[in-house]
């Protein structure tokens, strides 16, 4: 009897799991709190008092316990002795850090993006050290448990999607896959096969074709952008091994989250005093250091500003910044009151709105933070134009690797939430022809193809 096998799409922003039945993929309900119960946010919340939450439940727990919470920090010893040398002098001291005394839980987002970071090995969660693999395994094990319950039986084999490039560095890319394999094994999968995510999209489409086609797959998700050029046909669909049908794969380490960060950096930093300058009594001009502004680029690094020395600097800066005190107050509030997550969700909402509207506004008010930033589709496209240029260049490189011209491509399959951006659609239509560009299911085409591939490998 063939081994039943899941298809699993572990995404930077969202994840899904499916199984093939009678030649069709069946998506399994894994998150009743999500808008689509078959697609769950790739987030994890570990509560201080115990208990682990995933997906929509994790977001509810995090927001309810953290938004507006005043952070109280205390300097504590790590127990580690640090030895350093300055000008041939030896210095030994006890490493210390500022601990958040009333932290209700740890929230983890975009775990997939850390797989390529060999410097990130793990983190301490209320006295217990979790490796990155263990954190991902916690999420995957809960996802698997929900799927098993929905299916009514336990499945321990999986075809797991992976991006074409976890990293542009080949060694880091291989290490990232090895870390993902370990995480899946820890989660309870004893039989793991990997498949490039854009190929999963192509397989889902292939079930509808009647003759041979040459497909260009454009998968633009939350954390990565992947391409593949693959031959499709009803006859090839019966084969389990499709390596020879893949003419080229490529990609760019750009995702939808990157565009959110670009909006924050280019449009919103001034609300937090990025242009503020102050003069000391001695007449010296003081501005925010670049490292501080860099921490504002992502929601999770904003929390790093809530350290003793940084807060002291900002407080002193506020006192001498006569014309920008409101903006410095906004930054102090953002860092100390845990509003980073909510602000970036509003940025994401506005970005998504520009896919269907020509004008929107980033509207965010929390305590002393007041942001009303109009954004047009045209201004957004100008803002991301360097990204668009890099994407088009990478697409052409992938076509060159495959040895095909754009007019030889039969169909363009675009998937992933960020593929809905109108400028992306325009780019693809200009390069390949509007009649060739097909929109796949944004969040489920990959997992559907992985499930079909899983069924073929089990038969």
């Amino acid at each position: 009897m063939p081994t039943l096998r899941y298809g699993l799409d572990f995404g930077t922003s969202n994840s899904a799991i499916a199984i093939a039945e009678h030649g069709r993929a069946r998506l399994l309900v894994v998150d009743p709190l999500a808008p689509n119960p078959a697609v769950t946010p790739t987030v994890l919340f570990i509560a201080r008092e115990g208990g682990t939450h995933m997906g929509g439940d994790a977001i509810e727990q995090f927001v309810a316990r953290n938004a507006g919470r005043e952070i109280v920090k205390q300097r504590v010893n790590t127990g580690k002795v640090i030895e350093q040398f300055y000008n041939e002098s030896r210095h030994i001291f006890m490493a210390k850090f500022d601990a958040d005394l009333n932290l209700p839980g740890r929230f983890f987002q975009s775990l997939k993006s850390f797989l390529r970071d060999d410097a990130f090995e793990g983190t301490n969660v209320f006295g217990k050290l979790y490796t990155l693999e263990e954190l991902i395994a916690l999420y995957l094990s809960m996802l698997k448990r929900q799927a098993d319950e929905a299916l009514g039986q336990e499945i321990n084999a999986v075809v797991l999607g992976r991006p074409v490039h976890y990293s542009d560095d080949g060694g880091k890319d291989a290490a990232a896959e090895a870390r993902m394999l370990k995480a899946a094994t820890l989660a309870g999968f004893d039989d793991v096969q990997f498949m490039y995510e854009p190929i999963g999209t192509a397989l889902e489409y292939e079930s509808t074709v009647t003759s041979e086609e040459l497909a260009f797959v454009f998968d633009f998700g939350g954390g990565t952008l992947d391409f593949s050029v693959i031959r499709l046909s009803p006859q090839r669909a019966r084969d389990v091994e499709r390596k020879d049908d893949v003419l080229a794969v490529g990609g760019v380490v750009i995702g939808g989250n990157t565009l959110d960060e670009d909006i924050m950096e280019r449009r919103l930093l001034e609300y937090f005093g990025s242009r503020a300058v102050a003069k000391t009594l001695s007449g010296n001009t003081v501005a925010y250091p670049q490292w501080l502004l860099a921490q504002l680029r992502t929601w999770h690094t904003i929390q790093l500003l809530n350290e003793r020395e940084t807060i002291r600097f900002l407080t002193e800066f506020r006192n001498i910044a006569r014309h920008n005190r409101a903006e410095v107050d906004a930054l102090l509030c953002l860092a100390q009151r845990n509003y980073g997550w909510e602000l970036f969700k509003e940025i994401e909402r506005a970005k998504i709105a520009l896919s269907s509207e020509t004008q929107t506004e980033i509207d965010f008010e929390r305590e002393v933070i007041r942001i009303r930033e109009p954004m047009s589709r045209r201004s957004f496209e100008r803002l991301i134009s360097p990204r668009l240029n890099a994407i088009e260049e990478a697409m052409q490189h992938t076509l060159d690797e495959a040895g095909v011209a754009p007019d030889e491509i039969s169909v363009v399959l675009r998937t992933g939430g960020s593929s809905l951006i109108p400028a992306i659609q325009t780019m693809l239509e200009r390069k390949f022809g509007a009649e060739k560009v097909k929109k796949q299911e944004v969040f489920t085409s990959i997992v559907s193809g992985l499930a079909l591939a899983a069924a073929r490998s089990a038969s």
Side-chain angles (χ1 to χ4, degrees):
M1 183 176 178
T3 302
L4 289 178
R5 188 184 298 271
Y6 284 135
L8 197 161
D9 178 18
F10 175 66
T12 303
S13 301
N14 296 283
S15 297
I17 192 166
I19 196 161
E21 295 177 335
H22 310 296
R24 298 178 64 87
R26 173 190 168 191
L27 276 71
L28 300 171
V29 172
V30 290
D31 191 346
L33 295 178
N36 180 348
V39 179
T40 181
T42 311
V43 294
L44 187 68
F45 183 80
I46 303 176
R48 176 184 286 275
E49 71 276 9
T52 306
H53 309 263
M54 65 163 276
D57 183 34
I59 293 173
E60 283 198 351
Q61 292 288 333
F62 174 79
V63 173
R65 298 179 188 224
N66 280 281
R69 175 179 67 88
E70 183 176 1
I71 300 174
V72 180
K73 289 202 169 186
Q74 177 177 306
R75 184 63 59 89
V76 298
N77 291 330
T78 64
K80 294 182 179 180
V81 175
I82 304 296
E83 181 179 18
Q84 292 186 350
F85 291 87
Y86 299 100
N87 298 325
E88 299 183 354
S89 297
R90 182 169 175 260
H91 301 266
I92 298 177
F93 57 93
M94 184 71 70
K96 299 179 180 180
F97 72 100
D98 289 336
D100 186 350
L101 298 182
N102 61 348
L103 183 69
R106 292 286 304 278
F107 185 77
F108 298 94
Q109 182 196 25
S110 303
L111 286 168
K112 181 178 181 179
S113 64
F114 291 99
L115 286 165
R116 61 176 175 259
D117 184 359
D118 52 11
F120 182 76
E121 297 181 357
T123 185
N124 188 297
V125 182
F126 306 118
K128 180 178 179 180
L129 179 63
Y130 285 88
T131 65
L132 176 63
E133 294 89 334
E134 288 171 334
L135 289 171
I136 294 175
L138 276 177
Y139 180 88
L140 292 179
S141 64
M142 288 187 286
L143 185 66
K144 178 181 182 302
R145 188 181 311 121
Q146 292 289 90
D148 288 343
E149 290 177 3
L151 191 61
Q153 61 177 305
E154 184 177 5
I155 304 295
N156 297 321
V158 66
V159 169
L160 184 59
R162 59 147 292 171
V164 175
H165 298 296
Y166 282 111
S167 169
D168 293 331
D169 182 300
K172 290 183 178 181
D173 185 79
E177 182 177 294
R179 297 177 88 176
M180 194 66 214
L181 174 61
K182 183 175 180 180
T185 302
L186 290 172
F189 291 110
D190 52 30
D191 183 349
V192 181
Q193 297 178 11
F194 285 97
M195 174 172 281
Y196 288 138
E197 291 158 354
I199 295 176
T201 296
L203 296 181
E204 197 270 342
Y205 170 80
E206 188 176 38
S207 64
T208 68
V209 304
T210 58
S211 60
E212 183 160 309
E213 296 186 14
L214 189 60
F216 185 89
V217 181
F218 184 94
D219 176 18
F220 199 179
T224 56
L225 170 56
D226 293 329
F227 318 123
S228 64
V229 180
I230 180 171
R231 295 191 187 281
L232 309 175
S233 74
Q235 294 74 29
R236 295 175 189 274
R238 292 194 287 266
D239 297 334
V240 174
E241 177 53 60
R242 301 295 300 275
K243 184 177 180 181
D244 292 340
D245 293 336
V246 181
L247 304 187
V249 294
V252 188
V253 185
I254 294 173
N257 294 341
T258 314
L259 306 184
D260 299 340
E261 294 161 11
D262 288 345
I263 293 172
M264 179 66 177
E265 183 176 31
R266 300 278 298 279
R267 299 295 294 270
L268 301 186
L269 289 190
E270 60 186 89
Y271 286 92
F272 301 102
S274 64
R275 299 182 181 179
V277 293
K279 286 193 175 181
T280 65
L281 292 176
S282 60
N284 294 325
T285 299
V286 182
Y288 283 172
Q290 286 302 309
W291 67 262
L292 187 152
L293 295 175
Q295 302 290 58
L296 292 172
R297 186 171 166 84
T298 66
W299 78 267
H300 50 85
T301 53
I302 288 172
Q303 301 172 79
L304 301 179
L305 295 176
N306 193 39
E307 297 294 338
R308 188 185 304 265
E309 296 303 321
T310 306
I311 297 301
R312 180 182 293 126
F313 166 80
L314 289 172
T315 302
E316 292 175 355
F317 185 89
R318 178 198 179 280
N319 292 335
I320 59 175
R322 296 181 179 179
H323 304 295
N324 301 99
R325 289 180 177 175
E327 291 89 343
V328 182
D329 284 339
L331 178 54
L332 285 164
C333 181
L334 181 71
Q336 293 182 293
R337 301 283 282 175
N338 274 303
Y339 290 123
W341 164 265
E342 291 184 87
L343 173 57
F344 270 84
K345 293 309 290 182
E346 170 60 13
I347 293 171
E348 182 186 38
R349 182 209 61 76
K351 178 194 69 178
I352 293 171
L354 290 174
S355 290
S356 56
E357 304 167 13
T358 58
Q359 187 79 29
T360 190
E361 184 176 66
I362 298 174
D363 186 355
F364 188 81
E365 293 193 11
R366 299 291 188 280
E367 301 184 43
V368 297
I369 303 172
R370 294 180 177 86
I371 297 174
R372 298 288 295 274
E373 179 71 7
M375 280 194 68
S376 67
R377 182 184 294 175
R378 180 174 296 180
S379 66
F380 173 61
E381 290 175 355
R382 284 198 302 267
L383 186 151
I384 65 170
S385 60
R387 305 290 185 189
L388 297 175
N389 293 336
I391 291 168
E392 189 155 13
E393 183 178 326
M395 283 197 304
Q396 185 57 53
H397 180 73
T398 303
L399 290 170
D400 292 343
E401 286 286 311
V404 300
D407 59 4
E408 295 179 82
I409 295 295
S410 309
V411 63
V412 178
L413 306 174
R414 64 183 178 100
T415 188
S418 298
S419 72
L420 298 176
I421 295 172
I424 295 294
Q425 171 80 2
T426 300
M427 176 197 300
L428 294 173
E429 290 179 351
R430 183 178 66 249
K431 192 169 190 67
F432 297 101
E435 73 285 353
K436 296 181 182 179
V437 180
K438 310 293 183 185
K439 184 183 78 172
Q440 299 297 93
E441 287 295 328
V442 172
F443 297 115
T444 61
S445 63
I446 293 174
V447 75
S448 295
L450 295 174
L452 294 172
R456 293 170 192 168
S457 66
S459 59

